[in-house]
């Protein structure tokens, strides 16, 4: 038996932020990030809509990019002090992910972070509060997923939390919130969305419910990401919807080793934090070539290429066309092709890559990758990505 879970309500279209006034409750805590929503006026709008609906509102501000365990614990304490019946998270993936984890500690103060790191091991939520998510970037799709990524900076590791309990009750996908995104963020989040959709389509847990969502998301990213990057607002709106569709797919089909690798390298090197979407964009073509050695995966990558109208008179030619398309996107979006080009120090890479490879194999996303991998093969794959060499194993 399989399961397909989405938020009960997904509101989309310009101005749908106003749906906050229709949430039924007495108290709402609004979790936000570093200030862009405040500067653009959306935070004030959200507070006013909630108050218009009859709710008392408390703010938890300042969630950092790649939220930490410490921030989660502070937010959970703020929730225990305020006792909201709605948790509303607005911003990029970071405040929404953080609020999901806060939710668990709010309702279950005695649970431990180690407990939550076990996939699909959350206690039953909604004992005290429901959850609404409002994305201000077009990539993570955390507003419709069963996932959250929290960083333990002391250990230098990103922990993906997974449980259908943390799928939001309400998602508000308002494209007005992404109109002011800087081009670099458009690029990184857009490639994150593409990676979500491609990994969902080839995942060992893909199904008839997730495949159409994944393919539609891939087509929309290919159609709209370059124009969105160049400031076309119609394309930017379509990208906001594309990333949401990709999220619906991967939340139910799960992901693969592109994400395993990105999770374990984001905070690993002293020479530069690797933004999640940038890491995905770099790793994706190399992982496709690795996974395509497995026959079932190869046929599904070829099917993606065929559906997108890419050229190729054989399965391998179609896969090559898909990788070339992704490489061309990375060039257009000013994303480096290799870890060396990104600026990771070669000596530090060699010192750390064995441990990073071991951690990546143990990541929750590895289990649904279409080709198995062990730490030795993972290290070889990372080495190909560092130097830009061919994946021939």
């Amino acid at each position: 038996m399989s399961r397909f879970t989405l938020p009960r309500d997904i509101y989309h279209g310009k101005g749908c932020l106003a749906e906050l006034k229709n949430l039924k409750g007495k108290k709402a805590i609004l979790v936000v990030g570093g200030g862009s929503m405040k500067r653009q006026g959306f935070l004030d709008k959200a507070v006013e809509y909630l108050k218009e609906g009859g709710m008392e509102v408390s703010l938890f501000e300042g969630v950092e990019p790649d939220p930490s365990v410490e921030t989660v614990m502070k937010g959970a304490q703020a929730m225990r002090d305020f006792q909201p019946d709605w948790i509303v998270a607005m911003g990029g993936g970071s405040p929404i992910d953080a609020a999901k984890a806060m939710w668990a500690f709010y309702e279950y103060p005695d649970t431990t972070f180690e407990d939550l790191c076990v996939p699909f091991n959350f206690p039953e939520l909604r004992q005290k509060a429901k959850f609404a998510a409002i994305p201000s970037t077009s990539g993570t799709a955390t507003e419709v997923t069963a996932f959250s990524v929290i960083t333990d900076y002391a250990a230098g590791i990103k922990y993906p939390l997974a449980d259908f309990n943390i799928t939001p009750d309400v998602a508000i996908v308002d494209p007005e919130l992404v109109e002011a995104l800087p081009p670099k963020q458009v690029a990184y989040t857009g490639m994150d969305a593409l990676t979500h959709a491609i990994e969902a389509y080839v995942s060992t847990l893909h199904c008839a419910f997730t495949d159409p969502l994944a393919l539609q998301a891939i087509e929309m990213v290919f159609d709209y990401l370059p124009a969105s990057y160049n400031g076309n607002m119609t394309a930017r709106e379509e990208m906001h919807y594309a990333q949401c569709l990709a999220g619906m797919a991967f939340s139910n089909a799960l992901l693969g080793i592109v994400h395993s690798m990105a999770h374990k390298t984001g905070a690993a090197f002293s020479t530069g934090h690797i933004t999640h979407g940038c890491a995905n964009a770099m790793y994706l073509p190399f992982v496709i070539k690795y996974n395509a050695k497995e026959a079932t995966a190869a046929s599904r990558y070829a099917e993606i290429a065929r559906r997108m109208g890419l050229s190729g008179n054989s399965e391998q030619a179609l896969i090559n066309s898909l990788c070339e398309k992704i490489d061309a996107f990375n060039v257009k979006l000013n994303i480096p092709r290799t870890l060396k080009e990104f600026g990771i120090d070669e000596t530090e890479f060699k010192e750390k890559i064995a441990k990073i490879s071991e951690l990546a194999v143990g990541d929750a996303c590895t289990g649904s990758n279409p080709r198995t991998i062990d730490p030795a093969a993972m290290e070889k794959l990372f080495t190909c990505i560092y130097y830009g060499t061919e994946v021939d194993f």
Side-chain angles (χ1 to χ4, degrees), residues 103 107 124-130 164-165 167-169:
W103 188 14
E107 297 204 356
E124 193 68 28
L125 298 180
R126 295 168 180 81
Q127 308 305 304
K128 294 183 177 180
K130 292 182 180 179
F164 288 116
N165 263 288
T167 304
D169 298 281

Side-chain angles (χ1 to χ4, degrees), residues 19-54:
E19 283 300 321
L20 285 173
K21 70 177 71 170
N22 295 319
L23 299 184
K24 306 299 182 189
K26 294 179 180 179
K27 288 184 173 184
I29 189 166
L30 187 50
V31 180
V32 293
S36 64
M37 290 294 93
K38 178 182 283 188
R39 289 191 300 274
Q40 295 174 47
F42 292 115
L43 180 57
D44 287 344
K45 278 187 179 181
V47 170
E48 287 307 310
Y49 288 141
L50 289 166
K51 288 181 176 178
E52 193 175 330

Side-chain angles (χ1 to χ4, degrees), residues 14 175 178-181 227-228 230-238:
K14 290 186 176 182
V178 298
E179 289 180 351
L181 285 177
S228 176
N230 290 323
N232 182 296
M233 289 303 147
T234 300
R236 194 157 297 181
E237 178 174 356
E238 294 297 328

Side-chain angles (χ1 to χ4, degrees), residues 263-275:
H263 290 151
K264 298 307 185 267
T265 51
F269 298 108
S270 63
T271 44
H273 179 87
I274 309 173
T275 304

Side-chain angles (χ1 to χ4, degrees), residues 99-115:
K100 286 178 175 180
M102 293 170 191
W103 188 14
F105 290 109
Y106 165 45
E107 297 204 356
Y108 294 91
D110 294 332
T111 197
T112 67
F113 194 77
E114 289 70 26
D115 291 337

